[in-house]
Amino acid sequence: HIEQKVTAALKPMHLEVANESHGKASDESHFHVLVVSQAFEGLRPLQRHRLVNQLFTAEDGALKFHSLRITAKTPSSWQQDESSPAAPKCTGKGDG
């Protein structure tokens, strides 16, 4: 579902989606999306983040799952650095 939405909207040259949920992988509440797209050219990092985030928010602005960590890069920035930041510590108690 996540892959389909990002691919349809942003036509990425690279896309990784990781389930970072606590406990079982079937929890599906925390995700990391690493997306590299030409659509991000000329946009600031916050604008890129918002572009991805809006794909997964309801009409009331609520995210459809608990956590979405986004790494959004342009093709040129991806060529320079193919890494993404480590996930913050989160115990599910609002601490990360």
Side-chain angles (χ1 to χ4, degrees), residues 13 36-41 73-81:
M13 64 173 276
V36 181
S37 175
Q38 191 71 33
F40 299 138
E41 289 292 345
K73 295 188 173 194
T74 63
S76 60
S77 66
W78 178 247
Q79 278 186 320
Q80 293 173 3
D81 179 11

Side-chain angles (χ1 to χ4, degrees), residues 31-96:
F31 293 93
H32 176 225
V33 175
L34 167 60
V35 58
V36 181
S37 175
Q38 191 71 33
F40 299 138
E41 289 292 345
L43 299 180
R44 293 186 183 117
L46 181 59
Q47 292 170 311
R48 298 175 195 172
H49 188 279
R50 286 178 176 159
L51 191 60
V52 176
N53 196 60
Q54 74 183 6
L55 299 173
F56 304 103
T57 52
E59 288 185 20
D60 65 357
L63 192 59
K64 295 181 180 183
F65 27 84
H66 178 70
S67 174
L68 180 62
R69 188 166 66 92
I70 299 168
T71 304
K73 295 188 173 194
T74 63
S76 60
S77 66
W78 178 247
Q79 278 186 320
Q80 293 173 3
D81 179 11
E82 293 186 2
S83 69
S84 63
K89 179 186 173 204
C90 178
T91 64
K93 300 176 184 173
D95 62 350

